[in-house]
Amino acid sequence: MPRRQDSTLSYDDLMGNFIGGSAYAMANQVAEGYLLVTERTFRRLSPGELGQLGLEIDKRLREIRGETVPVGSETQEIQKRQRKLQRLSGCRQMLASYRQRRRI
């Protein structure tokens, strides 16, 4: 962790680059719709953090797909699940496109 000259850590040194504090939290925020992802969102992340975010997005996608929806469940629950899947899939696709363009 880089230190400032007066040997104290700044706030930016203590906090990670992930919005929400961790890759897991960021993936959850994307799934719930609290965070709208653009390519600009990925600029502040290092290549390792981008990889970590990709893994967490894939993990969250598997979790949502693994959840069983009861047969007689309401349409709103099914739509909510599909929106989560759509948000995460779009984020994963945007992340892959960003990494390919940056050759990361």
Side-chain angles (χ1 to χ4, degrees):
M1 216 181 294
R3 291 188 180 260
R4 295 189 332 190
Q5 294 206 356
D6 59 358
S7 75
T8 61
L9 296 174
S10 71
Y11 179 78
D12 293 332
D13 294 337
L14 295 174
M15 293 300 294
N17 289 329
F18 292 111
I19 298 171
S22 67
Y24 176 77
M26 190 171 176
N28 280 334
Q29 288 179 352
V30 169
E32 296 298 327
Y34 296 123
L35 176 64
L36 299 175
V37 179
T38 63
E39 288 193 11
R40 191 166 188 167
T41 308
F42 302 131
R43 284 187 186 170
R44 65 192 295 182
L45 302 176
S46 69
E49 291 170 332
L50 290 171
Q52 188 178 5
L53 179 61
L55 289 174
E56 291 297 333
I57 289 171
D58 287 338
K59 209 182 329 182
R60 188 70 178 116
L61 278 168
R62 282 192 302 272
E63 288 174 7
I64 294 171
R65 287 185 184 128
E67 294 172 359
T68 57
V69 180
V71 176
S73 64
E74 294 188 26
T75 308
Q76 290 179 349
E77 289 182 34
I78 297 169
Q79 287 177 348
K80 183 179 177 182
R81 179 178 178 265
Q82 293 300 326
R83 279 193 296 268
K84 286 181 182 181
L85 288 172
Q86 184 178 10
R87 287 184 202 114
L88 285 171
S89 296
C91 181
R92 184 175 63 175
Q93 188 174 6
M94 201 177 303
L95 178 60
S97 170
Y98 178 79
R99 292 178 79 183
Q100 184 178 16
R101 224 183 347 269
R102 294 285 183 177
R103 295 184 179 100
I104 297 174

